[in-house]
Amino acid sequence: MTFPFWMLIAVLAVAAFSIRVLGLLAGESIKSSRHSWMLDDLPGLIVVSLVASSLAGQPVGTWLAAGVAFFIAYVTNHVIWTMCAGVAAYAGLVWFGF
């Protein structure tokens, strides 16, 4: 490899390391602030935003399967049962032409 490739690798490595260090520093400063209570709900909010953006523009069958998965998650609070029910509902709806 030539020198420009090694420089690119070095710059990307420093950038990746810097992003991680800055994230740790920012996280520590947020944890010690008065806004730390917001971090408790952050993982759930991230999951909801990912699911909502994935469902945007999907057909009705996908929304129905997501509804079934949501219901199972609400009733059982069990991740494996929720995934199995969602996949089974989606497969059934695809099988029947939704």
Side-chain angles (χ1 to χ4, degrees):
M1 286 211 281
T2 62
F3 180 73
F5 288 118
W6 286 110
M7 285 304 299
L8 177 64
I9 291 170
V11 167
L12 291 176
V14 168
F17 182 74
S18 299
I19 288 170
R20 287 177 175 84
V21 169
L22 289 174
L24 286 173
L25 294 175
E28 287 299 319
S29 67
I30 291 172
K31 280 184 190 178
S32 62
S33 74
R34 63 185 176 108
H35 301 293
S36 64
W37 60 270
M38 289 188 284
L39 292 177
D40 295 337
D41 295 328
L42 190 61
L45 294 173
I46 291 172
V47 169
V48 168
S49 67
L50 290 172
V51 169
S53 63
S54 296
L55 285 175
Q58 293 297 315
V60 175
T62 306
W63 281 85
L64 292 173
V68 169
F70 176 77
F71 176 75
I72 296 298
Y74 182 76
V75 171
T76 65
N77 196 25
H78 194 276
V79 175
I80 304 298
W81 286 115
T82 301
M83 289 190 300
C84 291
V87 169
Y90 183 76
L93 289 167
V94 168
W95 179 266
F96 290 112
F98 278 99

